[in-house]
Amino acid sequence: MVRPLAAWNPLDWSLVDGPVPYVLLVLGFGSLLGLAVSTGPRWWTRRLPCAVLVAAAASALVVYTVDVWWRPFPGGLPRVVTVWIGVALLGLSLAAFRLPALHWRGGICAVVAALLVVLMAANQVNRYYVQYPTARAMLAPETDPLTTGRDDRTVTAPPGRTLSEVWQPPDRMPGTGTLSAVPIPGRASGFDARDAYVYLPPAYLTSPRPLLPVIVLMAGQPGGPADWVNSGGLKQVLDEFAAAHRGLAPVVVVADPIGSTLGNTLCMDSRIARAQTYLAVDVPDWIHHHLQTATGRTQQSVGGISFGGTCALQLAVNAPEVYGSFMDMSGQLEPTLGTHADTVDEAFGGDEAAFDAVDPLHVMARRSFPDTAGLFLVGASDAEFGPQVRAVHAAAVQAGMRITFETVPGGHNWAAFHLGLTRYVPWLAQQTGLTR
């Protein structure tokens, strides 16, 4: 049997499963042991204890800086991540204390050993989040030119029928969809967003053109639109769905709700940014002007993971005239900058009423949404966000939404988020009349 070329390309070797992570663990811990062991008596009584103390102090400083002072992550650093940061700093500290007593060859070996420890620790953090399943996922996504223009002939489903029941694909339909990187300017909001990614399924690229529903998808924080492509396997999921439905699949626009990797706009219009206006006005306007899709709120859905899931629910309740359905996977109980008090102070100048006016739980307590459909998803082992998702789900049920709740294997990572996307796409296809 001839193995596929991807199996021989190191860029496609798994960094989270298989032999690579275990080889790195062996090399990393072997290097750490080599750095920690020495025959010199002064090493054991002075330098080794000092190296350990320096590493511990540096680890504590990193945690304090990130979780208390800087606070780029509302939930703080997970414990397992802080442990591996400590391991990496220990390797660097041990190498630094050994270098003065080594010749140049020994010094090179110590530096290489420290780098192996750091590489091991970095990949263990990567395994926790499943951010980069392969080295290729670290590269910029391969993209195609965006298909523009409108077709004079379109296909829609008559009442009582689904689009998949009346669609007849032409002979020369492409086998896969296209993925394009495009700027979506914040004309109404003034929001400076990073490039979005647009997936167009094979059926969209034909004539006559079926009028397909649209998903506006968002990643988490920290993160960016490319995460759904590289880590979430977006094109693979949509292409597989299209292959099973004669080229039909939703059009997907992966938008940027935060503006930078570590930014946090709360997905609100506030002192920080006008992110809600960007996602509820600018992005839909761009879609209507540049893409030929089905129109109306029932044909537009918004979804996301973690921060993006919270954002999706916010848009569903604050702009229900735009989005008729949503997917909230592993979202938060409320939009946050770390604490409720900090959020209200920084975003609304301490005005609780202004926050309550757009916070999903408060909005759902005041209003009912019988015409909105929602899909809540969470990883079965997501101990932190699982209870939050269930609480928000209960509030959505009380608000009269048509709700589906599902769990997927995994935790708060891209392995689970990828599975969530495979549930969201067919669910949305049924909600919009694309499939039965």
Side-chain angles (χ1 to χ4, degrees):
M1 179 184 295
V2 178
R3 299 181 68 184
L5 291 177
W8 300 104
N9 191 334
L11 288 176
D12 297 309
W13 293 351
S14 175
L15 299 178
V16 295
D17 298 304
V20 172
Y22 295 101
V23 169
L24 289 176
L25 281 170
V26 170
L27 293 175
F29 277 120
S31 298
L32 193 64
L33 180 63
L35 289 169
V37 174
S38 175
T39 57
R42 295 185 62 186
W43 171 256
W44 296 102
T45 58
R46 295 185 182 181
R47 291 182 178 176
L48 178 60
C50 288
V52 172
L53 287 174
V54 168
S59 299
L61 180 61
V62 168
V63 172
Y64 177 84
T65 300
V66 173
D67 288 351
V68 179
W69 178 67
W70 186 14
R71 293 180 303 164
F73 319 124
L77 289 171
R79 182 174 299 177
V80 65
V81 173
T82 62
V83 168
W84 285 111
I85 290 174
V87 170
L89 291 172
L90 178 60
L92 293 172
S93 181
L94 288 171
F97 275 87
R98 294 204 65 154
L99 282 174
L102 297 174
H103 296 295
W104 68 271
R105 289 181 181 176
I108 292 176
C109 290
V111 171
V112 170
L115 292 177
L116 286 172
V117 174
V118 171
L119 185 61
M120 170 190 68
N123 194 56
Q124 288 303 113
V125 173
N126 177 53
R127 293 183 76 191
Y128 177 81
Y129 290 110
V130 198
Q131 183 76 30
Y132 302 111
T134 65
R136 188 180 298 279
M138 301 180 191
L139 306 177
E142 296 182 4
T143 57
D144 310 290
L146 180 68
T147 298
T148 57
R150 296 181 178 268
D151 196 282
D152 293 334
R153 299 184 300 161
T154 59
V155 178
T156 58
R161 304 288 300 278
T162 65
L163 188 58
S164 63
E165 291 170 341
V166 301
W167 165 249
Q168 295 296 326
D171 293 336
R172 296 185 178 182
M173 183 179 69
T176 61
T178 61
L179 182 75
S180 307
V182 297
I184 299 181
R187 300 191 186 281
S189 64
F191 185 65
D192 186 15
R194 292 167 291 179
D195 281 359
Y197 287 90
V198 177
Y199 171 84
L200 300 177
Y204 185 96
L205 309 174
T206 65
S207 180
R209 175 176 292 161
L211 297 183
L212 301 167
V214 179
I215 293 174
V216 174
L217 201 59
M218 295 167 292
Q221 186 277 337
D227 292 347
W228 269 116
V229 180
N230 289 337
S231 306
L234 180 141
K235 190 174 187 298
Q236 174 193 353
V237 171
L238 272 295
D239 277 344
E240 289 177 354
F241 183 89
H245 296 86
R246 295 180 296 170
L248 295 173
V251 169
V252 179
V253 177
V254 188
D256 177 23
I258 57 178
S260 63
T261 300
L262 297 176
N264 190 342
T265 62
L266 298 171
C267 193
M268 292 175 164
D269 285 354
S270 73
R271 291 182 172 188
I272 298 173
R274 297 186 68 203
Q276 180 179 306
T277 297
Y278 178 72
L279 295 162
V281 177
D282 291 323
V283 172
D285 283 353
W286 184 92
I287 292 171
H288 297 327
H289 282 92
H290 293 83
L291 303 176
Q292 189 176 15
T293 65
T295 58
R297 66 180 297 275
T298 61
Q299 297 296 310
Q300 293 192 150
S301 186
V302 61
I305 52 96
S306 195
F307 171 96
T310 313
C311 184
L313 176 61
Q314 290 173 239
L315 291 165
V317 300
N318 288 302
E321 71 283 358
V322 178
Y323 298 108
S325 63
F326 69 93
M327 185 271 285
D328 177 354
M329 181 165 187
S330 304
Q332 301 156 305
L333 189 63
E334 67 176 19
T336 180
L337 295 173
T339 68
H340 179 80
D342 289 341
T343 302
V344 176
D345 286 343
E346 294 182 32
F348 297 99
D351 188 346
E352 284 280 356
F355 176 84
D356 293 350
V358 291
D359 170 54
L361 289 182
H362 287 88
V363 175
M364 289 188 292
R366 296 191 302 266
R367 297 178 57 184
S368 61
F369 297 87
D371 297 326
T372 295
L375 173 62
F376 287 93
L377 291 160
V378 70
S381 58
D382 191 345
E384 179 180 357
F385 289 87
Q388 298 182 59
V389 172
R390 286 176 171 83
V392 176
H393 162 257
V397 171
Q398 287 294 113
M401 294 182 181
R402 294 176 283 112
I403 295 298
T404 302
F405 183 94
E406 296 185 23
T407 60
V408 298
H412 198 78
N413 56 44
W414 276 103
F417 302 154
H418 171 81
L419 292 175
L421 184 62
T422 66
R423 306 280 183 92
Y424 180 32
V425 173
W427 177 86
L428 186 277
Q430 291 182 337
Q431 295 294 323
T432 57
L434 180 61
T435 61
R436 181 67 62 186

